Amino acid sequence: MTVSKRTGYFGKSIKRVEDPRLIKGIATYVDDLRLAGTLHTMILRSPYAHAKILSIQTGAAAALEGVVGVFTGTDINPNCGLLPCAAEAPDLKSPKHTVLANGRVYYVGHPVAVVVAADRYAARDALDLIEVDYDSLPVVSDPEKALQDGSPLTHPELGTNVAFTWSVASGDLDAEFAKADRIIKQRMVHQRLTPMAIEPRGCVASYNAGDGALTLWTSTQIPHLIRTLLPGMIGIPENRIRIVAPEVGGGFGSKLNLYVEEALCSHLSMRLKAPIKWIESRRENAMATIHGRDQVGEYEIAVKKNGTILAIRAKTIADIGSYLQLLTPAIPTLTGLMLPGCYKMNAIRMDVTGVYTHKMSTDAYRGAGRPEASYAIERIMDLVAADLGLDRIKLRLKHFPKPDKFPFHTASGLTYDSGNYRATLKKAQKLASWDTLLKRQAKERKSGKLFGVGVSTYVEICALGPSKMMAAGGWEWGCVRIEMSGKVTAITGVTPHGQGQETSFAQIVADHLGVPMEDIVVCRGDTSVAHYGRDTYGSRATALGGTALIMCIDKIVAKARQLAAHLLRAKVEDVVFRDGQFLVKGAPKTNIGWATLAQEAYLAKNLPANFEPGLEASSFFEPTNCTYPFGTHIVAVEVDRSTGEVKIRDYVAVDDCGHQVNPLLVEGQVQGGIAHSLGQALFERTVYDEEGQLLTGEFMDYPLPRAKDIPDYVMGSTVTPSPSNPMGIKGVGEAGTIGATPAIANAVMDALAPLGIRHLDLPLLPEKIWRAINDR
Amino acid sequence: MIPATFDYFRPETLDEAAALLAQHGEDAKLLAGGHSLLPSMKLRLAQPRVVIDLGRIPGLNSIRESSGKIVVGAMTTHREIELSSLLAEKCPLLPEVATQIGDVQVRNRGTIGGSLAHADPAADWPAAILALEAEMVVFNRGGERRIAAEEFFVDLFQTAIQPDEILVGIRFPVTSRAVAYSKSAQKASGFAIAGAAVVVHARNRAVRIGITGVSARPYRASATEKGLKGKPLTQEAISAAAVSAADGIDPLNDIHASNEYRRHLALVNTLRALELAASRC
Ligand SMILES: Cc1cc2nc3c(=O)[nH]c(=O)nc-3n(C[C@H](O)[C@H](O)[C@H](O)COP(=O)(O)OP(=O)(O)OC[C@H]3O[C@@H](n4cnc5c(N)ncnc54)[C@H](O)[C@@H]3O)c2cc1C
């Protein structure tokens, strides 16, 4: 790997090149597309969580001026395949996930019919004219009740509400529990959350009948995976499908999916030979875009009196909603794999039961299974410390593997690539002035305040991942082209939608080619430009996509060196590449740069023998392992005794994501992640009532953190490079969400500890805290 | 998110507006800042056939002093109230409440008249209206009438404004600085789960307390007011009286706060507002 010393972009906090267009409002989102002749769709959704559809009358709607057609499941489903799920479990039972409801609805928001009209107004008016006769059926909206005998069945034809079971087990669990001095138990609820990306979903499908080809613009994180999966639903081969993810206004995992609306619009465009547009409303987004989390876990920890944690046994119920989306069953398995956190222990077992209920599906939401794990294990560490009267810091230090023990094999069977957990902990303590903070706490407590200090030392899994772990390839692809003018086009198979890789990849490419960043354009998100890719999720993009680009550059440099030797009349082995110039050893004045090389490579009049014209290379990078970033977050909170409200006083985050291409982007990712965590820890929750009605379907009722909720952060980092990729990058897209929630929760529980309150479930709503205080 | 079809009128005078309202009756809705009306139209919860925009009628957007009273026009935005130097001096409770409504964008759009006419049980203004014993001035083709604060709020989203009437302004007394507003906000919407407005009349040793968010109808905390009547506002007196701030009230119960917690927050905010107002005496 050759890095230009002259450009030196790597490691610099460079402002995002994406931002001007976003700030000026001149970026192009799906809804900004205006294709001539576009027809607009609106979807009629079920108001019931479970009902039989007795009849659907579409006549009046179809007769409305401007309406082109009204379609129901009977019209659509026979022409579309079922929505696929890419995750597997041996005993997985899957209901048939049709594009529109097939005679029955299973959640509030279930698509029942679609109106296609000349404009959105006619389409919306027509929705009100469709008459559906529903026969409501018994609902189950609580996953624990769903497992009881006699519970209504989500999908009666499956004969059970159990979708799948999955276990991770290693070590001699019974023996470890037999050796224990004490078994500490805690039940923990990981509440359901709604991702609420600021831009809801939406798509435009345009079928070209002449070519038999379809273009689908969709607000997605995964255009490439959709291109792989959509052919099975609509019957067009993948080489006639182009998927474009234009500007995407937030994903957080909620757009890591193939949704029925994407297949529906594609089918309608083929059927009606017109571009079809669908734009999701906020209310639809809340009820029909995947939700996150929603696990209930019973944790048992076998400990010795001295605090040694021998083993953990967990049983969790994962509420997966009514259908399997792309990765639904895989999410709780990530919880099981990451449950040991950054601690040594001898045995672990986690049994997951995935349960169907009459609610929207759950799937990957920022952190995807890892926040549940980090929350559980970090609460466990504090509970063990509290129950045994030990120091929580010492307890953690005692269980950290030492830096020289990496690669470290966890009790759950993973191999952590590299780590120095003690270093991040120590640095965070220093930034938080730990001893002073504890003194301050003692003083505040004396004066009657409920003041808490919380710590979490988390580890997570990123850069997913080696293909053997993944359903459809875990490699990443890239292509770099030196254009004839000497400008550089870098095409990546990852699909950034806010992470900033147009900037960080330009930094990487500029350094490796020795050219100014301004000369580089990073292309992404269009399968006809980025031919292959596995897209953006699981904090994989920089580590994998960035590496694929470097591999391309290595190939280009090797090729250009031959051309340079030819043009400089030197031997190839005498030509060296440095700072964007090819030089002849011993004659540094004899050199040649990219502009000349590119021109010669494309003019192709003076090339070495057997030299292919052009300067372009593509590469697939297959990682050897995932990466395991980690960090320590320290939080100080104050709880208002009279209302139960929590105020964050101090926040310190020290994260280790390996080498940082652009610290500004890293900081932004961590800050955003902490904001998400703050919501999860303190107030966010998706609420369905017993009838399966969604009570948090608007921003009126679903609180997202606002600017004034966000504390001032003190941020720091340590650098432990990952050996899994040549740049030593780990990933940081989800770290904040994984590390912060338990730190905040631990701080609040620490504040309440003097009152004898041991554990409260998230979110730590004021009323919940107030009740706990008053129940004492 | 698209409303049903409606006709839109933008009258230039109050008489014209009143005539339109009389003509279209229950089919019509007046439009002020649109911050409550438009969302409910977009969700098709409200489907008026006619929308009458009050935005161009001169005189409705004003803050002035007139024969010892402060008169705030119905179309005055929360933001204008927040920034008014006249109000800061003569009726400081109003700017104090205004700053606690939504955010700047919301305050730039929402109006005091729209908020009062809408009568959202969680809105902030009703607490101030009650504590200040304000008078609502309404207009129809027959002329003007005044409605006392206590008679104004009828029920959830219901006021004493008749279908042919337009709220044109609110009349407030001039007060001292001994006023305060304390609020527990619903985390998502920012509206009040419980909000208490206090006005201290130091001369005759009386307080007025208006409470919003807690029940279907904003109310005066009369038991607390009585408890403090004629007493100096000592910490003991305030604490003792605040506990009856929700006496006889049937609090609302929803996912954001149970009725017990709402009741508790009514007491907490009453206590806080009293302490604050007392500190400004
Ligand atoms: C995001 C957001 C946050 C908010 N936060 C808060 C908050 O924290 N606290 C709070 O109190 N409020 C809050 N509001 C409410 C907002 O501030 C307005 O007060 C409220 O929406 C009504 O005022 P408006 O001018 O928008 O009225 P409109 O929506 O135009 O009208 C409301 C109703 O009143 C009727 N009406 C309007 N004017 C008159 C009149 N002159 N005579 C008779 N009838 C009339 C209309 O026909 C309609 O039925 C919030 C609103 C939003 C959108």
Side-chain angles (χ1 to χ4, degrees):
Chain A
M1 212 179 42
T2 42
V3 178
S4 163
K5 280 195 222 88
R6 191 165 54 91
T7 50
Y9 293 112
F10 195 103
K12 286 233 171 82
S13 286
I14 291 168
K15 281 192 187 167
R16 302 194 334 154
V17 301
E18 294 88 338
D19 285 344
R21 68 170 188 265
L22 296 169
I23 292 165
K24 290 183 202 164
I26 52 172
T28 309
Y29 295 87
V30 171
D31 201 15
D32 296 318
L33 296 171
R34 301 273 184 274
L35 302 193
T38 298
L39 299 177
H40 299 261
T41 59
M42 291 259 179
I43 294 170
L44 184 73
R45 296 181 182 274
S46 170
Y48 292 99
H50 190 200
K52 207 173 182 168
I53 300 174
L54 301 177
S55 68
I56 309 180
Q57 309 288 338
T58 59
L64 192 74
E65 199 186 322
V67 171
V68 174
V70 183
F71 305 92
T72 67
T74 322
D75 309 313
I76 299 288
N77 296 338
N79 300 298
C80 287
L82 300 174
L83 195 85
C85 167
E88 285 167 12
D91 60 350
L92 185 64
K93 291 192 180 61
S94 329
K96 292 196 169 69
H97 195 166
T98 53
V99 168
L100 294 180
N102 227 18
R104 226 172 151 112
V105 290
Y106 298 101
Y107 63 100
V108 167
H110 197 156
V112 169
V114 58
V115 176
V116 185
D119 59 53
R120 302 196 300 151
Y121 308 97
R124 178 61 189 84
D125 284 344
L127 280 192
D128 286 352
L129 300 176
I130 301 173
E131 273 178 43
V132 186
D133 194 3
Y134 293 100
D135 184 11
S136 69
L137 295 167
V139 172
V140 57
S141 64
D142 175 328
E144 291 178 280
K145 288 188 185 150
L147 290 176
Q148 288 166 6
D149 282 346
S151 159
L153 292 178
T154 306
H155 297 279
E157 74 278 11
L158 299 181
T160 170
N161 283 325
V162 175
F164 66 93
T165 55
W166 177 91
S167 299
V168 57
S170 81
D172 192 342
L173 198 81
D174 293 337
E176 298 297 332
F177 269 78
K179 275 195 268 172
D181 292 327
R182 246 178 103 170
I183 294 166
I184 292 170
K185 296 184 184 180
Q186 186 61 51
R187 174 190 152 96
M188 293 184 220
V189 176
H190 311 270
Q191 83 271 28
R192 183 176 277 241
L193 299 172
T194 309
M196 292 283 195
I198 284 298
E199 182 208 19
R201 291 187 295 126
C203 59
V204 175
S206 179
Y207 180 66
N208 181 322
D211 297 342
L214 176 91
T215 302
L216 178 71
W217 289 265
T218 179
S219 182
T220 188
Q221 302 172 221
I222 53 162
H224 296 93
L225 297 180
I226 290 180
R227 182 166 172 266
T228 304
L229 294 163
L230 194 59
M233 295 190 73
I234 60 167
I236 300 180
E238 69 175 328
N239 54 359
R240 288 182 196 276
I241 293 185
R242 174 186 172 208
I243 311 287
V244 187
E247 206 76 65
V248 173
F252 312 120
S254 73
K255 295 172 184 171
L256 194 195
N257 243 298
L258 173 60
Y259 283 99
V260 291
E261 291 86 352
E262 288 160 327
L264 176 64
C265 290
S266 301
H267 167 72
L268 288 171
S269 183
M270 292 161 67
R271 186 166 178 152
L272 302 170
K273 312 267 184 305
I276 299 286
K277 188 175 202 175
W278 171 74
I279 299 295
E280 189 182 53
S281 70
R282 174 58 55 195
R283 197 163 262 215
E284 285 180 292
N285 181 264
M287 64 185 165
T289 289
I290 62 100
H291 295 159
R293 320 275 190 264
D294 213 347
Q295 291 184 22
V296 183
E298 305 273 356
Y299 303 89
E300 293 181 345
I301 307 100
V303 290
K304 298 297 272 182
K305 266 197 286 248
N306 66 4
T308 302
I309 295 174
L310 302 169
I312 298 180
R313 179 159 56 203
K315 275 199 171 61
T316 69
I317 295 170
D319 183 343
I320 61 175
S322 55
Y323 279 119
L324 302 174
Q325 281 282 346
L326 189 60
L327 298 172
T328 302
I331 306 307
T333 68
L334 273 174
T335 309
L337 293 173
M338 292 309 296
L339 188 59
C342 38
Y343 309 111
K344 296 177 284 192
M345 56 192 74
N346 302 332
I348 194 156
R349 180 176 180 105
M350 176 159 138
D351 297 299
V352 178
T353 307
V355 180
Y356 286 117
T357 57
H358 291 117
K359 297 193 288 199
M360 183 57 202
S361 316
T362 51
D363 203 322
Y365 168 51
R366 200 170 190 177
R370 292 102 99 202
E372 294 89 323
S374 64
Y375 173 69
I377 186 68
E378 290 305 308
R379 283 295 301 133
I380 285 172
M381 295 312 280
D382 269 24
L383 289 167
V384 169
D387 287 5
L388 300 179
L390 300 170
D391 180 80
R392 57 196 161 166
I393 302 288
K394 287 196 188 125
L395 184 71
R396 283 173 168 85
L397 285 169
K398 174 182 161 107
H399 289 86
F400 284 163
K402 301 243 151 49
D404 61 1
K405 289 287 186 290
F406 289 84
F408 173 73
H409 303 287
T410 71
S412 59
L414 296 174
T415 303
Y416 290 174
D417 56 342
S418 60
N420 188 348
Y421 305 144
R422 187 190 170 87
T424 52
L425 173 57
K426 289 291 167 197
K427 183 156 184 185
Q429 283 187 300
K430 190 157 171 239
L431 287 177
S433 311
W434 181 255
D435 294 330
T436 322
L437 184 60
L438 292 188
K439 277 185 206 132
R440 184 169 133 214
Q441 174 179 36
K443 219 172 107 195
E444 299 276 14
R445 277 187 173 163
K446 234 190 219 142
S447 77
K449 292 223 171 97
L450 297 174
F451 191 95
V453 177
V455 183
S456 96
T457 52
Y458 74 92
V459 59
E460 60 134 337
I461 178 171
C462 284
L464 305 171
S467 295
K468 60 180 187 307
M469 282 180 63
M470 311 295 290
W475 41 264
E476 196 42 80
W477 180 89
C479 172
V480 175
R481 186 162 63 234
I482 318 285
E483 306 284 359
M484 202 165 164
S485 59
K487 302 272 182 200
V488 180
T489 305
I491 307 168
T492 177
V494 302
T495 304
H497 49 282
Q499 293 81 357
Q501 273 103 5
E502 282 176 56
T503 308
S504 56
F505 283 5
Q507 289 177 257
I508 292 171
V509 171
D511 273 355
H512 284 78
L513 286 175
V515 302
M517 253 182 91
E518 298 69 40
D519 282 357
I520 296 163
V521 168
V522 177
C523 300
R524 44 82 209 170
D526 180 341
T527 64
S528 67
V529 177
H531 301 140
Y532 265 94
R534 293 293 88 170
D535 302 311
T536 291
Y537 57 88
S539 303
R540 67 193 299 280
T542 309
L544 307 190
T547 303
L549 291 177
I550 292 175
M551 291 167 69
C552 298
I553 293 170
D554 286 346
K555 288 184 192 167
I556 291 176
V557 168
K559 183 177 176 185
R561 199 166 156 227
Q562 285 181 38
L563 181 56
H566 173 78
L567 295 172
L568 297 169
R569 297 173 203 282
K571 285 196 205 140
V572 174
E573 49 280 18
D574 288 341
V575 173
V576 287
F577 176 59
R578 191 190 310 145
D579 290 350
Q581 297 289 325
F582 290 84
L583 325 160
V584 180
K585 257 189 237 165
K589 293 243 166 80
T590 319
N591 59 48
I592 192 167
W594 287 112
T596 317
L597 285 169
Q599 208 171 38
E600 293 294 342
Y602 290 95
L603 286 175
K605 292 181 199 300
N606 181 16
L607 299 180
N610 301 323
F611 187 92
E612 277 183 35
L615 274 182
E616 170 179 326
S618 62
S619 283
F620 286 82
F621 173 56
E622 171 68 37
T624 50
N625 189 3
C626 299
T627 62
Y628 295 87
F630 53 91
T632 297
H633 288 209
I634 296 178
V635 191
V637 302
E638 193 184 324
V639 175
D640 183 329
R641 210 183 268 272
S642 62
T643 61
E645 281 165 309
V646 176
K647 285 240 156 49
I648 296 195
R649 292 287 175 225
D650 294 349
Y651 201 107
V652 173
V654 176
D655 296 271
D656 190 324
C657 59
H659 283 304
Q660 303 185 3
V661 184
N662 183 332
L664 190 65
L665 294 183
V666 169
E667 201 171 306
Q669 289 295 316
V670 174
Q671 292 200 4
I674 298 173
H676 264 133
S677 268
L678 197 126
Q680 172 174 359
L682 299 181
F683 42 77
E684 281 186 52
R685 60 182 177 151
T686 306
V687 185
Y688 282 92
D689 70 10
E690 289 203 341
E691 295 305 312
Q693 290 297 326
L694 178 63
L695 305 184
T696 48
E698 290 283 349
F699 284 132
M700 281 286 280
D701 296 303
Y702 190 89
L704 282 191
R706 296 191 169 109
K708 66 171 189 225
D709 296 314
I710 308 298
D712 285 335
Y713 305 119
V714 175
M715 305 191 68
S717 58
T718 56
V719 175
T720 309
S722 171
S724 307
N725 59 74
M727 285 187 287
I729 287 171
K730 291 204 166 194
V732 74
E734 294 151 291
T737 322
I738 293 162
T741 306
I744 298 169
N746 281 341
V748 175
M749 297 324 298
D750 185 50
L752 300 176
L755 305 175
I757 298 167
R758 184 173 184 272
H759 179 80
L760 296 174
D761 281 321
L762 306 184
L764 295 163
L765 296 167
E767 175 162 1
K768 192 183 284 177
I769 293 174
W770 172 74
R771 280 184 188 281
I773 293 173
N774 285 285
D775 283 351
R776 299 290 123 184
Chain B
M1 291 305 280
I2 294 171
T5 308
F6 59 90
D7 287 332
Y8 172 79
F9 292 94
R10 201 171 63 194
E12 306 273 334
T13 66
L14 210 47
D15 289 323
E16 217 184 301
L20 281 165
L21 200 52
Q23 181 189 343
H24 296 286
E26 305 261 334
D27 285 344
K29 275 276 178 203
L30 298 171
L31 175 68
H35 256 190
S36 291
L37 182 60
L38 297 187
S40 62
M41 286 171 66
K42 285 181 170 185
L43 292 170
R44 300 203 172 196
L45 300 172
Q47 303 199 8
R49 298 247 175 80
V50 172
V51 170
I52 304 168
D53 187 347
L54 301 177
R56 291 295 166 97
I57 298 173
L60 287 187
N61 181 340
S62 61
I63 302 170
R64 61 200 160 80
E65 193 171 3
S66 146
S67 42
K69 293 275 177 189
I70 305 292
V71 185
V72 178
M75 289 295 285
T76 310
T77 63
H78 312 319
R79 184 71 171 162
E80 287 160 341
I81 293 173
E82 176 184 356
L83 299 178
S84 158
S85 47
L86 177 71
L87 292 178
E89 197 193 323
K90 301 275 169 97
C91 196
L93 182 60
L94 297 181
E96 184 171 349
V97 170
T99 54
Q100 299 188 44
I101 297 175
D103 48 36
V104 174
Q105 288 87 337
V106 167
R107 299 201 284 274
N108 273 331
R109 205 62 229 160
T111 65
I112 187 168
S115 175
L116 292 174
H118 192 55
D120 188 312
D124 292 297
W125 284 127
I129 297 300
L130 288 167
L132 287 164
E133 298 173 282
E135 278 184 324
M136 273 35 77
V137 183
V138 295
F139 177 92
N140 69 6
R141 284 196 300 175
E144 262 187 26
R145 75 180 173 108
R146 292 184 189 175
I147 309 171
E150 291 254 41
E151 266 97 65
F152 185 75
F153 301 102
V154 175
D155 206 343
L156 279 176
F157 303 105
Q158 258 188 55
T159 68
I161 306 176
Q162 296 305 302
D164 66 342
E165 287 177 331
I166 300 170
L167 177 64
V168 290
I170 306 102
R171 292 165 60 82
F172 296 101
V174 174
T175 71
S176 73
R177 273 169 211 291
V179 295
Y181 183 60
S182 173
K183 164 187 184 180
S184 295
Q186 197 254 69
K187 191 72 202 165
S189 71
F191 279 71
I193 288 177
V198 166
V199 176
V200 178
H201 297 287
R203 229 178 297 148
N204 45 358
R205 291 217 160 163
V207 296
R208 293 289 175 266
I209 304 166
I211 295 185
T212 190
V214 177
S215 63
R217 213 169 71 89
Y219 65 93
R220 282 265 297 275
S222 6
T224 305
E225 289 180 6
K226 255 185 228 127
L228 290 171
K229 175 90 192 120
K231 291 191 191 143
L233 293 180
T234 60
Q235 186 64 49
E236 300 73 55
I238 289 173
S239 305
V243 296
S244 35
D247 281 8
I249 293 300
D250 185 16
L252 297 168
N253 184 17
D254 60 29
I255 59 165
H256 303 294
S258 69
N259 41 10
E260 284 172 57
Y261 188 55
R262 266 202 170 76
R263 173 185 298 281
H264 171 72
L265 291 181
L267 312 192
V268 171
N269 285 293
T270 300
L271 179 74
R272 289 179 178 176
L274 279 168
E275 284 170 353
L276 208 55
S279 76
R280 293 167 177 170
C281 278

